[in-house]
C-alpha cells in the first residue's frame, strides 16, 4: 500500500496512527460533559414551539384519532406514529416535552455515530473521532439534538443514506437499500425532496468530472442498467406507498394530500422573490470550494473508488445549501440538521492534517488543534445558554393548568398545539404558512365560529392568533393562572347595576376579590354558579365597590381567579 507523508489528506484510515490513550480520554471526556449538560438542558432548554406541536400529533395517534382527518398536521406521519406507544406509556404529564426529549436520545447518538462512520470510511479514524466530537459540541447542532422533533430521525436517515452510497461499489442491492432509506425519510419529512435533488445533482457532477478528468475514468463494464433504476425506485416507494394505502383505507387520503403537499406549497412568486436575498448567503456558494477540493483530492488519491466517494461526498456538502435555498420556501434552523454533521466532518479534515503537520515539527500532539476548537465550542455553548437557568416555567404551567381545568373531549384554542393533550376548536395551526394563507385570502379563519360551536372554555394567549380572533378572545376570556378562561369584567354603575353580554353559553360565577358576590342576576337572587345562555344579562349588586368578574365556574371552583397573580 502506498504511504503518504504525515499530514497528507491522502492518508487512509489504516495509514493513520492509532489514537493515543490521552486523545481517547479527552474525546471521551468531552462526550461525557455533553451528556452531563443534557441532564440540565433537557429540562431547562426553552421549548421550541414545534416540539409541543409534534407531540400534539403524537397524542392524537395515542388517543385513537387520525392525523389529517381529526387533527391538522403539515408533516409526514411516520415519526409521530412511531412515538405514540411510548407517549401513551408516559401518561398525561406537564413535563412531557422533557420526557420525550430523553426518549429520542438514541437518535442523537445514532447521528453522531453515523458521522463517525462516514469520517472513518472517507478520511481517517482521527478525522472520524474529532469530526463527531466537533459536531456534538457545535451549539446550533447540539441544541437541536436536544429537542423532540422528527428532523432528528430525518437527519439520521440522511447520514445512513450517505453511508450506504459511499460503502463500496454501487450494485442494484445497495441501491435498493439506499432507496428504501430514502423512502423512510420521505415518510418522516417532505423536505427529503431537496435531499434527493442534492444526491442526484452530486451524482451528475461526479459523472461530468469523470468524463473531463481521464485518471478518474473507470473501465467500461457490461451492466444491465435497468436494474440500477428499478431497484432504488422499488425501495423508495415501498414505505410511502404503505402509508398512502393506510390513509386511503381510513378514508383520509385527500386530507393527507392537502396537509402534507398542498398546504406547504407557497406561491411561486413569493418563492422566487427570495432567491436574490438568499444568494448573498455565503453558504450558497460553498459548492465552489467543496467541488474544487473534491477534485483536488480525487486526482491525487490512487484508490479510485475512495476518490470518487470523497468527490461525491464533498459535492453533496457543497450543493446542500444552494438547493435548500432554491427549492424550499420556508427555511428554519432545523433544516440544517443534515448539513452540519457532514460540513463539520469535511472541515475537520484540514484541522487534523494541520495537527499532524504540527506534531511532526513540535512536541504538541496531533489532536491539539481539534481539541481546542471543541473546547471553544463547548465554552461558547455554555455561555450562550447557561444550563442551570430555568426557562420553561410558563410552558409547564400552561400544560398543567389545562389538565386541571379541562376534561378529555373539551377543546382548547392554542396556536400550534402547545397544550398537547386537547384538541383545538379550529382545525388549522396558526403557524407561519397558515397565517400567510389567511392574509392572502386562501384560507378562511373561522376560529370565532368554532369557539362558539365547541363552547371552548380555555384559550392560550398568543400573538400568532389572527387580529379578529385576538379581539374576540380579549372580549370574552379573562386571564387566570397561565391561561385564559371564559369570562369578562363587569362594570356596574354607581347604583350597582350592570348589563353584560354572554356569547358562549356555559356555567358562570360572578366574583369579586373576596369570592362570590351577592345580588340578583336577571331578577333572580344569586346563589352560586349559574348556567347562562347567549345574550344580554342584567346584574344588580347591593354594594358595587371593587372589581367584579364573570368567570367560567369550573375555573373558580378549581381555585383560579383573575385576582390572583399570574404565573
Amino acid at each position: 500500500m502506498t504511504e503518504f507523508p504525515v499530514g497528507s489528506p491522502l492518508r487512509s484510515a489504516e495509514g493513520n496512527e492509532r489514537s493515543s490513550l490521552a486523545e481517547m480520554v479527552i474525546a471521551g471526556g468531552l462526550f461525557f460533559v455533553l451528556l452531563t449538560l443534557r441532564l440540565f438542558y433537557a429540562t431547562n432548554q426553552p421549548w421550541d414551539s414545534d416540539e409541543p406541536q409534534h407531540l400534539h400529533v403524537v397524542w392524537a395517534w395515542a388517543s385513537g384519532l387520525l392525523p389529517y382527518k381529526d387533527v391538522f398536521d403539515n408533516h409526514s406521519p411516520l415519526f409521530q406514529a412511531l412515538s405514540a406507544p411510548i407517549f401513551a406509556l408516559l401518561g398525561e404529564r406537564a413535563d412531557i416535552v422533557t420526557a420525550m426529549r430523553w426518549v429520542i436520545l438514541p437518535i442523537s447518538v445514532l447521528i453522531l455515530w453515523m458521522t463517525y462512520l462516514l469520517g472513518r470510511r472517507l478520511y481517517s479514524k482521527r478525522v472520524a473521532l474529532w469530526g463527531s466530537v466537533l459536531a456534538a459540541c457545535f451549539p446550533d447542532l447540539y441544541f437541536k439534538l436536544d429537542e423532540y422533533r422528527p428532523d432528528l430521525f430525518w437527519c439520521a436517515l440522511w447520514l445512513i443514506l450517505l453511508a450506504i452510497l459511499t460503502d463500496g461499489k454501487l450494485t442494484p442491492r445497495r441501491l435498493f437499500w439506499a432507496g428504501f432509506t430514502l423512502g423512510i425519510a420521505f415518510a418522516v419529512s417532505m423536505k427529503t425532496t431537496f435531499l434527493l435533488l442534492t444526491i442526484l445533482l452530486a451524482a451528475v457532477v461526479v459523472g461530468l468530472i469523470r468524463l473531463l478528468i481521464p485518471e478518474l475514468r473507470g473501465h467500461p463494464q457490461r451492466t444491465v442498467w435497468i436494474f440500477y433504476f428499478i431497484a432504488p425506485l422499488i425501495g423508495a416507494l415501498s414505505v410511502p406507498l404503505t402509508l398512502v394505502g393506510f390513509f386511503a383505507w381510513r378514508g383520509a387520503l385527500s386530507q393527507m394530500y392537502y396537509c402534507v403537499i398542498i398546504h406547504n406549497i407557497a406561491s411561486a412568486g413569493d418563492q422566487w422573490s427570495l432567491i436574490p436575498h438568499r444568494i448573498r448567503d455565503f453558504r450558497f456558494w460553498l459548492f465552489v470550494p467543496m467541488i474544487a477540493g473534491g477534485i483536488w483530492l480525487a486526482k491525487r488519491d490512487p484508490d479510485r473508488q475512495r476518490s470518487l466517494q470523497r468527490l461525491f461526498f464533498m459535492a453533496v456538502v457543497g450543493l446542500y445549501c444552494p438547493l435548500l435555498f432554491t427549492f424550499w420556501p420556508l427555511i428554519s434552523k432545523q433544516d440544517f440538521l443534515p448539513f452540519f454533521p457532514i460540513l463539520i466532518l469535511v472541515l475537520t479534515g484540514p484541522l487534523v492534517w494541520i495537527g499532524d503537520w504540527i506534531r511532526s515539527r513540535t512536541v504538541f500532539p496531533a489532536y491539539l488543534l481539534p481539541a481546542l476548537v471543541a473546547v471553544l465550542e463547548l465554552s461558547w455553548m455554555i455561555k450562550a445558554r447557561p444550563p442551570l437557568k430555568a426557562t420553561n416555567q410558563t410552558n409547564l404551567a400552561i400544560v398543567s393548568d389545562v389538565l386541571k381545568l379541562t376534561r378529555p373531549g373539551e377543546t382548547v384554542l392554542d396556536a400550534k398545539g402547545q397544550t398537547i393533550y386537547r384538541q383545538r376548536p379550529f382545525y388549522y395551526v396558526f403557524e407561519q404558512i397558515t397565517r400567510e394563507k389567511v392574509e392572502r385570502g386562501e384560507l378562511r379563519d373561522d376560529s370565532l365560529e368554532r369557539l362558539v360551536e365547541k363552547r371552548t372554555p380555555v384559550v392560550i394567549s398568543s400573538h400568532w392568533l389572527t387580529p379578529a380572533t385576538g379581539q374576540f378572545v380579549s372580549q370574552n376570556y379573562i386571564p387566570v393562572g397561565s391561561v385564559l378562561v371564559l369570562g369578562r369584567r363587569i362594570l356596574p354603575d354607581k347604583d350597582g347595576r350592570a348589563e353584560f353580554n354572554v356569547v358562549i353559553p356555559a356555567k358562570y360565577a360572578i366574583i369579586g376579590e373576596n369570592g362570590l358576590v351577592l345580588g340578583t342576576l336577571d331578577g333572580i337572587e344569586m346563589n352560586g354558579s349559574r348556567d347562562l345562555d347567549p345574550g344580554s344579562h342584567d346584574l344588580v349588586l347591593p354594594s358595587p365597590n371593587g372589581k367584579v368578574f364573570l368567570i367560567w365556574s369550573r375555573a373558580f371552583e378549581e381555585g383560579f381567579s383573575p385576582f390572583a397573580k399570574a404565573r
Side-chain angles (χ1 to χ4, degrees):
M1 183 177 65
T2 304
E3 281 294 328
F4 296 95
V6 172
S8 169
L10 302 179
R11 290 174 66 89
S12 68
E14 294 77 12
N16 217 331
E17 288 82 1
R18 292 189 177 187
S19 300
S20 66
L21 178 61
E23 182 175 9
M24 296 300 294
V25 168
I26 292 173
L30 289 168
F31 278 124
F32 179 77
V33 171
L34 292 170
L35 182 60
T36 303
L37 287 173
R38 190 181 178 101
L39 294 172
F40 302 98
Y41 283 129
T43 300
N44 294 334
Q45 180 180 328
W47 292 6
D48 188 281
S49 64
D50 289 346
E51 293 182 87
Q53 180 185 359
H54 294 306
L55 286 173
H56 178 65
V57 179
V58 176
W59 165 81
W61 279 108
S63 302
L65 301 174
L66 187 63
Y68 313 126
K69 185 176 183 180
D70 301 318
V71 174
F72 175 83
D73 185 30
N74 60 332
H75 303 86
S76 298
L78 183 60
F79 180 73
Q80 292 89 335
L82 294 176
S83 300
I86 300 177
F87 181 93
L89 289 175
L90 293 171
E92 290 189 351
R93 48 193 292 172
D95 66 340
I96 187 63
V97 172
T98 298
M100 293 301 289
R101 282 176 171 179
W102 283 110
V103 167
I104 62 169
L105 175 61
I107 298 179
S108 301
V109 174
L110 177 61
I111 289 172
L112 297 177
W113 176 244
M114 294 308 303
T115 303
Y116 175 84
L117 289 182
L118 282 166
R120 189 179 68 181
R121 180 175 300 153
L122 296 172
Y123 299 100
S124 71
K125 292 179 180 178
R126 180 163 287 152
V127 170
L129 175 64
W130 289 104
S132 57
V133 171
L134 292 173
C137 292
F138 185 61
D140 281 354
L141 180 60
Y142 178 82
F143 288 124
K144 286 300 174 186
L145 292 180
D146 265 355
E147 295 177 353
Y148 174 86
R149 55 173 64 254
D151 305 270
L152 267 67
F153 191 29
W154 176 59
C155 174
L157 291 166
W158 163 249
L159 295 177
I160 292 171
L161 174 61
L162 292 179
I164 293 173
L165 293 175
T166 57
D167 189 30
K169 182 180 178 181
L170 292 180
T171 62
R173 180 188 295 272
R174 184 177 300 282
L175 288 173
F176 169 82
W177 289 113
F180 186 76
T181 304
L182 189 72
I184 298 175
F186 268 110
V188 172
S189 174
M190 288 304 297
K191 289 181 287 191
T192 307
T193 305
F194 73 81
L195 298 186
L196 175 59
L197 290 174
T198 302
I199 288 174
L200 294 177
L201 186 55
V204 170
V205 168
V206 172
L208 291 175
I209 291 173
R210 290 185 66 184
L211 291 176
L212 296 174
I213 300 177
E215 53 262 47
L216 296 181
R217 297 174 190 167
H219 299 291
Q221 297 177 347
R222 297 182 63 181
T223 303
V224 184
W225 288 105
I226 188 65
F227 294 123
Y228 283 78
F229 173 76
I230 292 177
L233 184 63
I234 293 174
L237 292 177
S238 55
V239 174
L241 286 180
T242 300
L243 287 174
V244 167
F246 170 79
F247 282 96
W249 171 62
R250 296 292 301 273
L253 184 58
S254 61
Q255 293 96 325
M256 179 189 185
Y257 175 72
Y258 170 78
C259 292
V260 177
I261 306 296
I262 301 300
H263 185 82
N264 290 319
I265 295 177
S267 64
D270 291 339
Q271 169 63 13
W272 292 110
S273 66
L274 296 174
I275 299 300
H277 171 73
R278 290 176 175 176
I279 63 175
R280 292 196 291 269
D281 190 316
F282 78 95
R283 292 170 296 186
F284 186 93
W285 301 100
L286 276 177
F287 69 94
V288 177
M290 287 295 167
I291 294 176
I295 294 173
W296 186 86
L297 284 176
K299 290 175 67 175
R300 288 160 177 81
D301 193 338
D303 187 333
R304 191 176 62 83
Q305 180 171 290
R306 188 184 65 191
S307 68
L308 293 176
Q309 290 168 348
R310 284 179 170 179
L311 175 59
F312 170 76
F313 183 77
M314 294 185 71
V316 166
V317 176
L319 293 169
Y320 185 97
C321 286
L323 292 173
L324 172 64
F325 292 165
T326 303
F327 290 99
W328 204 250
L330 187 62
I331 298 175
S332 55
K333 282 188 176 182
Q334 53 268 19
D335 298 335
F336 294 97
L337 268 172
F339 174 67
F340 288 141
I342 57 178
L343 174 66
I344 292 171
L345 196 57
V346 170
L347 297 180
T348 303
L351 286 178
V352 169
W353 300 331
I354 293 171
D356 273 335
W357 181 83
I358 292 174
R359 184 197 55 180
S360 67
R361 288 162 174 77
T362 67
V363 298
F364 295 112
Y367 58 83
L368 178 63
L369 187 57
L372 286 175
V373 174
V375 171
L376 288 174
E377 286 182 322
L378 194 58
S379 303
W380 176 27
M381 180 170 64
I382 294 174
K383 183 179 179 181
R385 291 190 183 178
L388 297 179
K389 183 179 179 181
T391 58
N392 291 314
Q393 296 94 326
T394 299
N395 293 321
L396 291 167
I398 288 173
V399 179
S400 177
D401 287 350
V402 167
L403 291 177
K404 290 178 183 177
L405 283 168
T406 60
R407 310 288 183 261
E410 293 179 331
T411 58
V412 175
L413 179 66
D414 55 23
K416 294 178 63 177
Q418 60 262 51
T419 61
I420 300 174
Y421 297 101
R422 298 292 181 262
Q423 282 190 269
R424 291 178 302 278
F426 179 62
Y427 177 69
Y428 297 94
V429 295
F430 286 102
E431 40 75 58
Q432 182 174 340
I433 295 176
T434 300
R435 298 198 308 272
E436 290 177 354
K437 287 180 177 288
V438 170
E439 291 172 0
R440 293 196 298 264
E442 298 174 16
L443 280 180
R444 177 174 172 268
D445 177 14
D446 63 347
S447 53
L448 305 187
E449 295 94 319
R450 300 287 79 78
L451 283 169
V452 177
E453 177 189 343
K454 301 291 185 180
R455 302 190 179 189
T456 301
V458 178
V459 172
I460 308 303
S461 179
S462 174
H463 65 279
W464 285 350
L465 301 179
T466 60
T469 302
Q471 183 179 6
F472 179 86
V473 167
S474 66
Q475 294 171 348
N476 295 281
Y477 293 82
I478 56 175
V480 298
S482 60
V483 302
L484 304 173
V485 300
L486 283 170
R488 63 189 309 154
R489 185 176 176 185
I490 300 175
L491 299 173
D493 61 20
K494 62 180 181 179
D495 297 324
R497 297 178 177 275
E499 182 179 344
F500 63 89
N501 282 322
V502 169
V503 177
I504 300 177
K507 192 173 185 179
Y508 291 94
I510 299 178
I511 62 171
E513 288 191 63
N514 297 319
L516 293 169
V517 299
L518 300 175
T520 62
L521 179 60
D522 297 330
I524 302 173
E525 186 174 349
M526 292 188 294
N527 183 20
S529 304
R530 185 181 302 180
D531 289 313
L532 297 182
D533 295 325
S536 179
H537 297 271
D538 296 312
L539 174 68
V540 179
L541 302 177
S543 54
N545 297 327
K547 295 181 180 179
V548 179
F549 284 91
L550 177 75
I551 184 174
W552 182 43
S553 63
R554 191 188 300 167
F556 175 68
E557 292 161 4
E558 292 289 341
F560 291 82
S561 169
F563 296 102
K565 184 178 180 181
R567 282 180 285 178

